[in-house]
Every structure is written in C-alpha cells, then in structure tokens.
Amino acid sequence: MKRILITGGAGFVGSHLCERLLNEGNEVICLDNYFTGRKSKIVHLMDNPFFEVIRHDVTMPYFIEVDEIYNLACPASPIHYQQNPIKTIKTSVLGAINMLGLAKRTGAKILQASTSEIYGDPELHPQPEHYWGHVNPIGIRSCYDEGKRCAESLFVNYHESNDVRVKIIRIFNTYGPKMEPDDGRVVSNFILQALQNKDITIFGDGMQTRSFQYVSDLVEGMIRMMNTTDDFIGPVNIGNPTEFTMLELAKNIIQLTQSKSNLVYMPLPEDDPSQRQPDIRLAKEKLNGWEPQIDLQEGLKKTISYFKEIISEN
C-alpha cells in the first residue's frame, strides 16, 4: 500500500484518479481548495478508511509524509482559468514549488499534470514532445499556458539540482463523466445544448480541430507514467491522436442525442488554437504500449448518459 497525495483531487480528472488508486489498494489523500473541484465528486469515497480529504490551497506549503504526489491542482478550462488569471499563475507556479519542496523533503515521486496548451497555436502538426510551442506570452490564455510551461521548468530543475524524482505528462483534451456543466469545454457545452435542444454554439468556422480522449485512458496513462523508472522524466503526451473538427463533433453529438438543435456561429476567441493533435509514439514506447482504448462514439455515449442524469436531477 502506497500513501498517495493528489492535489486537485476533487476535480474532474482528480476524482477519477482518486477512485482508481483506492481501488488498487492504496491510501489516498485528496487535497483541494474547491475553486473548481467539487466535494460531490468524491463524497462516495469518504466511507473508505484509506481515503482522506483536506481543504487546502497549493499556493501555500503543505506538510505530510507520502510516497507519491500527483500534482493536478489548477483550473483547466478557459472559462475558469481566465476568471482569475493571477490566481491561475500562482496555482501553477507556487503550487509546483510547494509540491516539489514536499517531494524533496519526503523523497516522494511526483507527477506534474502539464497540458497540450504549452504548444499554443502549433506550427508543427501533430505535436511531438520536442516541439517548443507557439505561445502568446501576454495573451488571454497566457496565465494558463505560461504557468504550466514554468511548472515544467521547475520540475526539470528540481530533478537536476536536487535529485527529485519527477514525471511530466502533457494532457490533451479530455472528457467524460464528472465534467462540470459550466466548465466551458466544448464536449460538455455541445452535449448540454443538444440535450436541451438549444442552439449549438460553434466558434469560428468550425474547422479547427481537437483530439478527444476519454478520462479512463488518461488515468491509465498517468499511472503508467508514475510507474516508469526514475531515469525517465518525460515530458510525455497523453491524448487521443484521432482528430476531429468542431463541426464533426457537433454533428456527432446531435445524432447521438437525437437533438433538434441548430448550429450557430460565433467569433473565434483570442488565441484559440486552430489545431491540436498529439504525437503519442513516445507514450507507446515508454508506457508499456499505452494508447487510448475508448473511441469517441463510446466515450460520448457514456458522457451523454452522465449529463442526462445531471439534467434530470435539476
């Protein structure tokens, strides 16, 4: 049994990770300040004697004895991370410093949940890990993009200067049950609009692309990365390489929900990437052949069922 700390453990991805690691027989400590996390996502785990929940902000130091740390704490959707951009940068940078300090003191292995956003609006497609990115450092999205880029730098430097055992993954668009209805992500937006027969909002011409991975595939990749040997630190792309346009996604969801929604077009937000697709060859090589197992149709059906329950409860 390992003692595992998950920052942002009451969030969308964090709550799935808590559940998986508990089911594997570990002791899990969930740390969250509930800025975007929700206690409702983890309440079903609270009867487990090996699960602990702590309200804490990672911008402040935290002291505990653990074997592993998954550093997930940070708002991850534009609507949330742009709400308080200074807080977002502090969470990424100070949170990384505090958790790396904890890992250094305890000898714990620590994984950084970085993001495909560090590639910005990419000029190289698909995006391999050696690509440095094309990011506007003062744009509306920079609080998240640059915060995560700085966190990666901190992880590498703590590893090289202090021998901290670090792992870095870059997460591409992820969806599934436990997403927040108001998080502004395209999958949740489209599903909710379709289920309520409202107009589906397409930003730009709808030809920008994304690659969508189901949350269980991400969690599997995270755990495999944590279990790699200490000499491999990453970064590693974790995402689904199958690419879809926003129009394809919208039409797919309309069909699956049998919705009467119409498509409406709105101006494209500032610095919105035109394309995003992971090169996952390194993940396949280093993570025991990891690759996504849930295709978009199957994943959307599960996510639609979840949001149907959310709507019926309200």
Side-chain angles (χ1 to χ4, degrees):
M1 177 181 287
K2 290 182 288 190
R3 298 190 73 211
I4 302 174
L5 175 67
I6 302 174
T7 72
F12 162 47
V13 174
S15 59
H16 283 277
L17 182 61
C18 285
E19 198 169 74
R20 168 75 182 271
L21 290 171
L22 278 172
N23 288 340
E24 291 184 352
N26 299 292
E27 182 178 353
V28 174
I29 300 99
C30 166
L31 199 74
D32 209 297
N33 69 348
Y34 301 113
F35 179 62
T36 56
R38 298 287 181 269
K39 195 171 286 187
S40 58
K41 289 181 171 60
I42 53 171
V43 68
H44 65 292
L45 304 175
M46 290 183 180
D47 288 337
N48 189 318
F50 298 108
F51 184 63
E52 188 175 352
V53 182
I54 298 163
R55 183 188 292 265
H56 184 82
D57 193 315
V58 294
T59 61
M60 303 297 291
Y62 183 70
F63 301 96
I64 192 173
E65 302 300 319
V66 290
D67 303 305
E68 293 179 352
I69 304 166
Y70 288 83
N71 188 39
L72 277 61
C74 190
S77 68
I79 196 170
H80 287 145
Y81 67 64
Q82 291 168 12
Q83 182 179 335
N84 189 337
I86 295 172
K87 175 73 171 175
T88 297
I89 294 173
K90 283 184 172 181
T91 301
S92 286
V93 177
L94 296 179
I97 290 170
N98 288 328
M99 290 303 114
L100 284 162
L102 176 62
K104 178 184 174 183
R105 183 180 66 80
T106 61
K109 190 187 298 185
I110 180 169
L111 180 143
Q112 168 67 3
S114 191
T115 173
S116 62
E117 297 292 335
I118 68 103
Y119 297 121
D121 190 3
E123 297 171 315
L124 183 61
H125 193 74
Q127 293 80 59
E129 289 84 355
H130 62 75
Y131 176 54
W132 290 356
H134 178 225
V135 176
N136 179 356
I138 57 172
I140 192 170
R141 302 168 74 99
S142 65
C143 60
Y144 185 67
D145 302 357
E146 296 293 11
K148 289 289 191 177
R149 287 162 72 94
C150 183
E152 286 196 16
S153 177
L154 284 163
F155 267 67
V156 170
N157 287 309
Y158 264 78
H159 172 70
E160 293 179 349
S161 300
N162 298 303
D163 295 322
V164 176
R165 296 183 296 157
V166 306
K167 306 289 177 183
I168 303 169
I169 61 168
R170 292 174 178 166
I171 301 172
F172 282 69
N173 291 65
T174 304
Y175 70 99
K178 299 186 184 179
M179 296 179 81
E180 281 297 306
D182 62 348
D183 68 3
R185 288 184 169 101
V186 65
V187 172
S188 51
N189 277 356
F190 284 4
I191 289 175
L192 282 169
Q193 289 168 341
L195 288 174
Q196 298 172 82
N197 293 309
K198 295 179 178 178
D199 290 340
I200 290 183
T201 308
I202 303 284
F203 291 100
D205 61 5
M207 297 310 293
Q208 64 270 38
T209 66
R210 295 292 184 272
S211 305
F212 301 102
Q213 84 177 323
Y214 192 69
V215 64
S216 62
D217 287 326
L218 169 59
V219 168
E220 177 67 25
M222 296 173 83
I223 293 172
R224 290 195 190 191
M225 181 59 175
M226 182 64 93
N227 292 334
T228 55
T229 57
D230 290 348
D231 61 338
F232 179 65
I233 70 170
V236 176
N237 291 334
I238 305 291
N240 193 319
T242 307
E243 193 176 17
F244 295 91
T245 68
M246 297 300 94
L247 274 176
E248 288 175 320
L249 177 66
K251 291 175 180 177
N252 202 341
I253 288 172
I254 287 173
Q255 182 180 21
L256 288 172
T257 57
Q258 298 183 319
S259 176
K260 299 175 182 177
S261 296
N262 297 311
L263 303 181
V264 297
Y265 294 84
M266 302 288 285
L268 196 65
E270 181 185 342
D271 293 334
D272 192 63
S274 59
Q275 53 187 4
R276 189 64 61 70
Q277 181 188 18
D279 182 329
I280 64 167
R281 286 176 292 179
L282 186 62
K284 286 183 178 181
E285 176 190 345
K286 296 292 188 178
L287 308 184
N288 297 321
W290 176 90
E291 60 182 331
Q293 300 299 307
I294 308 295
D295 66 22
L296 188 65
Q297 288 292 106
E298 182 183 353
L300 284 178
K301 288 176 182 177
K302 293 180 178 181
T303 311
I304 288 166
S305 296
Y306 167 76
F307 278 112
K308 280 182 178 178
E309 291 181 17
I310 295 292
I311 291 173
S312 65
E313 289 171 2
N314 295 332

